[in-house]
Amino acid sequence: NSRRPDWVIAGDETGPRNEVRFTDLTWHRGIRDDCMVAQIPFFLKQLTDHGRPIPFELWPEDLKIREFPQ
């Protein structure tokens, strides 16, 4: 009985500038790559700049991934 996720959702934190943790885009790319290898759908919910959401159209093209499980 294998236990593995059906879906991975990732994203940066929002909130006051001094309370959010910085997320390196390399971290999101690593998770994305791991999901691709494992054939698990990956959904990047949001990217932020100092706790403020970045509009989707301004994201790096390689991170505009919003996959859903079948």
Side-chain angles (χ1 to χ4, degrees), residues 5-59:
D6 296 323
W7 191 18
V8 173
I9 301 172
D12 292 355
E13 294 180 340
T14 58
R17 182 180 188 152
N18 62 341
E19 293 180 13
V20 296
R21 293 171 286 185
F22 172 74
T23 304
D24 188 331
L25 295 181
T26 304
W27 184 81
H28 291 307
R29 288 181 173 112
I31 293 173
R32 173 205 61 200
D33 295 348
D34 290 345
C35 286
M36 287 175 64
V37 169
Q39 298 182 335
I40 298 170
F42 176 74
F43 186 102
L44 186 55
K45 182 176 178 180
Q46 69 181 0
L47 293 177
T48 62
D49 181 20
H50 296 95
R52 293 191 176 131
I54 298 171
F56 184 78
E57 59 271 7
L58 300 179
W59 292 14

